[in-house]
């Protein structure tokens, strides 16, 4: 009685171990089902989804114009003080003064990619880029100015 | 003083595990009093990853504070965000559009599966089985890819916001979730083959770390930890929020109270999550994904509380508002803290080698405990 039970237990144990090993052997011989990506080697073919939140950028068109009005809504929406909008006053041809951005300073090292600034922007001037290899050797390189030098605001954006 | 010498007056040995220890999955420090190999006392020391999230939230607006909560229980980031969004909505008295409700529940359940997958792999690794980790990550990565496509991030999504969700679902979402369900059903058998049926695993889990239902209640355990002892505490069933009241799923209860029961609860819970997703994925209502809210949110004066079921248990969000744009006080009732406090109780009298298995089945996420 005791002996049968003992043998049964041992047999069950051996079988359970063999089942697990069989699964391991299965993958050992079925390379096709392995889904690991060889990251640095597949850089050329790696496509990130278009919604991926990598860093905040300000798109410019070919005339070096952006859509930012300098309203500071993004600065207020940001939880970490990542964005600083430095404004200036442009003198319009008619002689009127108009607020515009001088610099939109963006501290990548503070950003948590929460997307709140993009949501807050009333004129769709900023968006998320799909970059992710952000490491640099100098911390200063992480502070970026999003508007290109000499850029202007697009016509028709208020 | 005794701790410095590493020995108590009774001649028991004091062993420090952590704060940097691979088995604690984070910066948890355990001071263990040992008599030979038998555990006499376990004292968790906290504070190594305290970021004062509650205090930080007091200076952030109601839209901003939600993203911080992704950093508490980072494995249920969506569900944490969901709890905060619900609490703010309660104060604002906004009605969330049906579409947003379904999207939220779908993402919650996907998060729950992803979290349980990670727990499964990590716990198996704790007790010495390395292969399951890769199998678990295969499924988890699939979910992460779905999240990445829709929410733009893999772990700290910040997708829920007061009034709904941030963006509409990605057009591929439905097809990818369906193919994930197929993959999951096809592969779930492997889990049993690799681990659940394994004799070594079973012997290490059975009758180890027994938590009685009385203790589970008096220590405030929630989630799979308490359900493994037969205590019914699923917030989705008891206080349904969003569309949980309309979907059909079972609350998983096991009566053993030992490590194996807690393990089985989570394994079976994943299948229930799949069931919920299957019911909702085809009938996502049309309409808005966001309710109209004011540009600056102001909660009326008062106190608001909302609880949800995260992958680890009950998360409570308590907001005290003075009527301004920022909360006066925020308190999070995190499931991990109560679940950790029971560790001493279940470990006493056990063996040192089993401690890691017990901690594994409590499913501790340290940043959630410390906040
Ligand atoms: S993504 Fe978030 S943290 Fe980053 S700049 Fe925008 S609002 Fe600030
Ligand atoms: S980026 Fe958008 S929100 Fe920020 S200042 Fe420019 S227009 Fe305003």
């Amino acid at each position: 009685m005791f002996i049968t039970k003992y043998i049964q237990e041992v047999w069950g144990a051996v079988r359970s171990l063999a089942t697990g090993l069989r699964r391991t052997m299965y993958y050992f011989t079925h390379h096709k089902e392995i889904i690991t990506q060889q990251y640095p080697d597949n850089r050329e073919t790696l496509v990130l989804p278009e919604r991926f939140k990598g860093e905040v950028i300000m798109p410019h068109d070919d005339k070096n114009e952006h859509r930012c009005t300098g309203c500071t809504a993004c600065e207020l929406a940001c939880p970490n003080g990542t964005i600083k909008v430095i404004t200036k006053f442009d003198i319009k041809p008619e002689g009127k003064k108009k607020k515009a951005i001088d610099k939109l300073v963006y501290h990548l090292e503070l950003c948590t990619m929460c997307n709140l600034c993009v949501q807050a922007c009333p004129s769709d001037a900023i968006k998320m880029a799909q970059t992710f290899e952000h490491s640099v050797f100098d911390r200063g390189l992480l502070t970026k100015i999003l508007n290109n030098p000499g850029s202007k605001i697009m016509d028709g954006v208020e | 003083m005794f701790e410095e010498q590493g020995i108590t007056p009774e001649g028991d040995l004091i062993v420090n595990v952590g704060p940097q220890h691979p088995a604690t999955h984070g910066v948890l420090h355990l001071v263990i009093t040992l008599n030979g190999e038998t555990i006499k006392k376990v004292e968790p020391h906290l504070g190594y990853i305290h970021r004062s999230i509650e205090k930080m939230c007091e200076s952030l607006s109601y839209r901003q504070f939600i993203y911080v909560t992704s950093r508490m229980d980072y494995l249920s980031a969506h569900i944490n965000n969901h709890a905060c969004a619900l609490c703010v909505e309660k104060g604002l008295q906004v009605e969330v559009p049906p579409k947003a409700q379904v999207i939220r529940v779908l993402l919650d359940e996907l998060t729950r599966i992803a979290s349980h997958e990670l727990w499964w792999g990590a716990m198996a690794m704790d007790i010495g089985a390395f292969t399951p980790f890769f199998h678990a990550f295969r499924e988890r990565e699939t979910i992460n890819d779905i999240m990445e496509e829709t929410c733009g991030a893999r772990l700290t999504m910040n997708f829920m916001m007061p009034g709904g969700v941030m963006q509409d679902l990605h057009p591929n979402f439905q097809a990818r979730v369906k193919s994930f369900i197929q993959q999951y059903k096809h592969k779930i058998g492997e889990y049993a083959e690799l681990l659940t049926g394994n004799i070594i695993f079973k012997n290490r889990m059975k009758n180890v770390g027994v938590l009685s239902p009385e203790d589970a209640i008096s220590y405030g355990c929630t989630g799979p930890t308490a359900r493994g002892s037969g205590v019914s505490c699923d917030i989705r069933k008891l206080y349904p929020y969003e569309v949980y009241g309309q979907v059909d799923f079972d609350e998983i209860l096991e009566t053993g109270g030992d490590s194996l029961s807690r393990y089985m609860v989570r394994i079976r819970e994943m299948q229930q999550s799949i069931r919920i997703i299957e019911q909702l994925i085809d009938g996502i209502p049309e309409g808005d994904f966001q309710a109209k809210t004011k540009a600056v949110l102001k909660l009326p004066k008062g106190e608001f509380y909302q609880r949800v079921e995260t992958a680890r248990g009950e998360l409570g969000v308590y907001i005290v508002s003075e009527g301004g744009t920022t909360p006066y006080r925020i308190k999070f009732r995190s499931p991990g803290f109560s679940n950790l406090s029971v560790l001493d109780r279940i470990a006493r009298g056990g063996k040192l080698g089993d401690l890691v298995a017990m901690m594994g089945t409590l499913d501790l996420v340290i940043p959630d405990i410390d906040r």
Side-chain angles (χ1 to χ4, degrees):
Chain A
M1 193 54 220
F2 171 75
I3 295 285
T4 7
K5 198 159 163 267
Y6 184 73
I7 292 176
Q8 262 171 5
E9 256 173 37
V10 171
W11 174 238
V14 169
R15 234 183 39 193
S16 81
L17 294 180
T19 336
L21 278 178
R22 203 182 60 205
R23 187 47 56 193
T24 311
M25 286 316 286
Y26 175 82
Y27 282 107
F28 195 66
T29 52
H30 288 70
H31 298 285
K32 291 254 164 56
E33 292 192 34
I34 296 173
I35 57 161
T36 319
Q37 293 184 5
Q38 306 290 342
Y39 160 59
D41 299 335
N42 71 348
R43 259 201 185 129
E44 278 82 43
T45 53
L46 189 67
V47 186
L48 286 166
E50 71 262 34
R51 286 190 189 176
F52 183 76
K53 298 184 269 193
E55 74 176 297
V56 179
I57 54 161
M58 182 181 283
H60 288 64
D61 66 3
D62 6 320
K63 287 188 283 176
N64 201 15
E65 290 175 340
H66 54 72
R67 298 177 63 87
C68 176
T69 56
C71 67
T72 69
C74 52
E75 186 178 334
L76 293 173
C78 180
N80 321 314
T82 306
I83 294 183
K84 285 275 170 307
V85 183
I86 302 171
T87 49
K88 61 175 181 191
F89 284 98
D90 275 351
I91 312 288
K92 289 274 224 179
E94 311 94 73
K96 263 200 287 181
K97 274 211 246 171
K98 191 163 181 288
K99 204 163 133 194
I101 54 162
D102 185 16
K103 283 181 194 144
L104 199 135
V105 186
Y106 170 65
H107 297 273
L108 179 56
E109 73 272 29
L110 297 178
C111 183
T112 54
M113 321 298 170
C114 66
N115 213 17
L116 289 174
C117 52
V118 179
Q119 293 270 318
C121 179
S123 51
D124 288 331
I126 42 178
K127 64 178 196 111
M128 283 288 179
Q130 279 70 51
T131 49
F132 62 95
E133 289 161 335
H134 289 315
S135 27
V136 283
F137 282 107
D138 183 5
R139 204 189 317 171
L141 296 174
L142 292 171
T143 304
K144 304 186 178 186
I145 293 169
L146 292 188
N147 51 329
N148 290 349
S151 59
K152 281 209 314 284
I153 183 168
M154 253 177 235
D155 284 338
V157 181
E158 285 303 318
Chain B
M1 191 186 92
F2 298 126
E3 289 182 17
E4 275 166 28
Q5 292 167 354
I7 205 147
T8 63
E10 295 88 53
D12 296 332
L13 197 66
I14 291 170
V15 176
N16 287 283
V17 175
Q20 301 289 345
H21 191 277
T24 55
H25 298 292
V27 277
L28 174 69
H29 180 195
L30 296 176
V31 182
I32 307 166
T33 313
L34 282 176
N35 180 4
E37 222 185 316
T38 310
I39 297 170
K40 285 182 90 175
K41 200 164 103 190
V42 182
E43 249 183 284
H45 285 191
L46 297 175
Y48 292 96
I49 192 163
H50 185 76
R51 292 146 296 166
S52 73
I53 283 183
E54 287 175 8
K55 197 75 195 162
M56 269 165 72
C57 290
E58 287 169 20
S59 59
L60 295 174
S61 80
Y62 289 111
R63 248 189 261 281
Q64 289 172 341
F65 89 92
I66 292 181
Y67 95 96
V68 193
T69 57
S70 312
R71 273 88 183 157
M72 283 168 17
D73 179 356
Y74 48 83
L75 295 177
S76 340
H78 260 314
I79 314 182
N80 293 353
N81 296 166
H82 193 172
C84 300
L86 277 173
C87 195
V88 174
E89 279 153 16
K90 213 179 220 178
L92 293 173
Q93 307 213 319
V94 222
E95 190 68 34
V96 184
K99 181 174 189 179
Q101 295 196 13
V102 171
I103 295 178
R104 282 176 171 188
V105 170
L106 277 171
L107 292 172
D108 274 7
E109 291 309 314
L110 282 175
T111 311
R112 195 181 314 277
I113 298 174
S115 167
H116 283 352
E117 295 277 4
L118 184 120
W119 156 82
W120 185 73
M123 192 212 60
M125 204 166 68
D126 283 347
I127 61 170
F130 200 70
T131 325
F133 193 74
F134 297 107
H135 289 252
F137 263 62
R138 178 186 55 207
E139 265 76 66
R140 185 166 179 271
E141 282 302 298
T142 319
I143 296 181
N144 277 358
D145 284 344
I146 296 172
M147 296 285 185
E148 196 177 17
E149 203 171 37
T150 288
C151 320
R154 301 171 77 83
L155 210 58
T156 49
M157 295 87 169
N158 190 33
F159 194 64
M160 315 265 179
M161 52 191 288
V165 290
M166 212 172 239
Q167 284 159 306
D168 203 350
L169 285 177
H170 194 275
N172 290 348
F173 182 80
Q174 264 168 313
R176 288 191 74 163
V177 170
K178 276 183 198 156
S179 90
F180 166 73
I181 293 177
Q182 287 308 322
Q183 176 197 345
Y184 184 84
K185 286 191 168 158
H186 179 58
K187 301 285 188 194
I188 185 74
E190 288 181 4
Y191 290 30
E193 277 180 26
L194 276 171
L195 201 63
T196 317
N198 187 300
I199 185 81
I200 303 172
F201 172 77
K202 266 194 189 159
N203 287 347
R204 284 202 61 183
M205 303 298 267
K206 226 177 170 124
N207 297 326
V208 166
V210 181
L211 172 66
S212 67
E214 292 80 17
D215 283 340
I217 292 171
S218 57
Y219 279 84
C221 294
T222 47
T225 306
R227 289 200 283 280
S229 305
V231 179
S232 160
C233 60
D234 196 332
I235 308 295
R236 295 174 294 169
K237 273 268 181 236
L238 299 178
Y239 306 93
Y241 49 97
E242 309 283 29
V243 290
Y244 279 119
Q246 294 148 35
V247 290
D248 187 29
F249 69 101
D250 297 330
E251 176 175 9
I252 306 293
L253 290 176
E254 293 269 344
T255 43
D258 54 358
S259 291
L260 191 63
S261 306
R262 292 193 283 275
Y263 172 87
M264 286 315 293
V265 167
R266 290 198 181 90
I267 291 284
R268 288 170 60 198
E269 224 172 55
M270 284 197 257
Q271 284 152 14
Q272 294 302 321
S273 294
I274 289 279
R275 224 174 116 191
I276 297 177
I277 295 173
E278 274 181 330
Q279 287 171 44
L280 292 175
I281 189 71
D282 277 321
I284 300 177
E286 296 293 318
D288 292 339
F289 54 88
Q290 225 179 66
K292 291 256 174 304
T293 44
K294 294 212 184 78
V296 178
L297 300 180
K298 270 190 190 164
L299 253 61
K301 206 170 155 96
E303 299 171 8
F304 308 97
Y305 185 70
Q306 173 69 41
R307 43 175 137 191
V308 299
E309 179 81 17
T310 75
R312 259 144 283 277
E314 173 184 336
L315 172 76
V317 179
Y318 176 64
I319 299 181
V320 182
S321 169
E322 293 274 90
T325 55
T326 57
Y328 175 73
R329 172 87 170 95
I330 281 196
K331 162 93 182 112
F332 297 112
R333 184 255 181 238
S334 76
F337 187 79
S338 318
N339 289 354
L340 170 71
S341 62
V342 86
L343 180 66
D344 177 50
R345 179 82 192 186
I346 62 175
R348 269 186 203 204
K351 295 276 184 278
L352 177 63
D354 290 331
L355 182 72
V356 174
M358 290 175 212
M359 266 168 51
T361 55
L362 292 181
D363 196 6
L364 304 173
V365 166
I366 314 304
D368 178 43
I369 298 166
D370 248 349
R371 295 196 292 291

